[in-house]
Amino acid sequence: MKNKIKFGPAGNPLGFNGQTVEVCDYIRGIGLDAYEYQATYGVRIQKQSGLKLAENALDNDVRVSMHAPYYINLSAQKEDVLERSIERLVQSARAAEWIGAYRIVFHPGFYTKYTPSQALDMCKGAINELLEKLDSRGIKKFTFAPETTGKRSQLGSLDEIIDICQSFDHFNPTIDFAHVHARGRGCIKGADDYHRIMVKLEDGLDGIGGKKEVLHCHFTRIEYTDAGERKHHILTETEYGPPLEPLLEALVECGWDATIICETPFLEKDALVMKQNYQDILEK
């Protein structure tokens, strides 16, 4: 049996003008089957709306994820910044329960004055505190998905994300292939590079390769500088990487179940292009 990859937009589709609680009607109607709810500027959804969104997603068989606020730094130097970051993730986990999000995506932090190893240790300490707070508040159904980050000043290399997910239950990665590409200054050229990423994931993460859990992914064309990520671009701007088709081919060849969230400026339009390319590969 061939694996199933789901595709959808990061946030509400450009062509959708209704209430977010009904967005999955639109997403399913245009032929997509995933949706990443954006809480990037704060967790504002209320419980009643969250439950309605979860029901709407279930009715349409749309897989929902959630992007936690951008203002999170689990390796922060200042104690108040760290406390607010942890609280934002607690808020995200509570809202994710309401909306039925299978992943809570977040950016782990920044190196600042720390070495990468020190920043990673700081992050892990903050995660231990986060898990204690979630337990004390009775929040049980969550899977955090730390994301590979696009700037070289950020905590979130592929190896660091794997390390975090190895260290804690209820943590699975978000692999943003554009971020990996930008952070590595154009390191993804073709299928071999994607295969190396997937082999590293399978070797490093129990359950991701062997159990074929869902690999949560982000994709866009990306412009970068020596410092890393600069700007997202649409799929037709092929002068920017990383390449799309070799990624889809590698996922199929490796037998992965995956969700790919489109982060190009064209959102659902490019998500549909991705899905069509995937179907073309399956039909070869």
Side-chain angles (χ1 to χ4, degrees), residues 146-246:
E147 178 182 347
T148 53
T149 49
K151 292 185 171 65
R152 298 172 73 87
S153 61
Q154 291 177 288
L155 176 65
S157 69
L158 180 61
D159 286 337
E160 288 164 345
I161 295 301
I162 290 173
D163 192 322
I164 292 169
C165 294
Q166 283 175 332
S167 302
F168 299 97
D169 293 335
H170 306 291
F171 274 70
N172 276 333
T174 296
I175 305 302
D176 187 315
F177 290 100
H179 284 171
V180 174
H181 182 70
R183 188 184 184 103
R185 297 176 178 141
C187 63
I188 300 177
K189 307 295 187 185
D192 288 347
D193 299 309
Y194 285 120
H195 277 291
R196 277 192 287 271
I197 292 170
M198 291 170 198
V199 167
K200 181 172 283 193
L201 284 167
E202 289 185 350
D203 289 346
L205 292 166
D206 291 338
I208 295 298
K211 295 181 183 178
K212 291 293 183 290
E213 292 183 11
V214 179
L215 179 65
H216 193 70
C217 311
H218 289 174
F219 190 88
T220 182
R221 304 278 190 194
I222 199 163
E223 183 179 347
Y224 61 88
T225 67
D226 283 346
E229 173 186 13
R230 182 178 183 184
K231 183 180 179 182
H232 290 197
H233 288 269
I234 61 177
L235 290 183
T236 54
E237 294 180 282
T238 53
E239 63 268 33
Y240 301 104
L244 173 62
E245 288 190 12

Side-chain angles (χ1 to χ4, degrees), residues 83-100:
E83 289 176 1
R84 287 197 298 270
S85 297
I86 292 169
E87 185 59 31
R88 288 185 178 111
L89 287 174
V90 171
Q91 294 168 359
S92 298
R94 183 186 293 113
E97 277 194 340
W98 299 337
I99 70 175

Side-chain angles (χ1 to χ4, degrees), residues 97-118:
E97 277 194 340
W98 299 337
I99 70 175
Y102 92 113
R103 295 285 190 274
I104 307 162
V105 180
F106 72 98
H107 302 159
F110 293 85
Y111 298 131
T112 58
K113 69 175 184 179
Y114 299 120
T115 66
S117 178
Q118 289 170 331

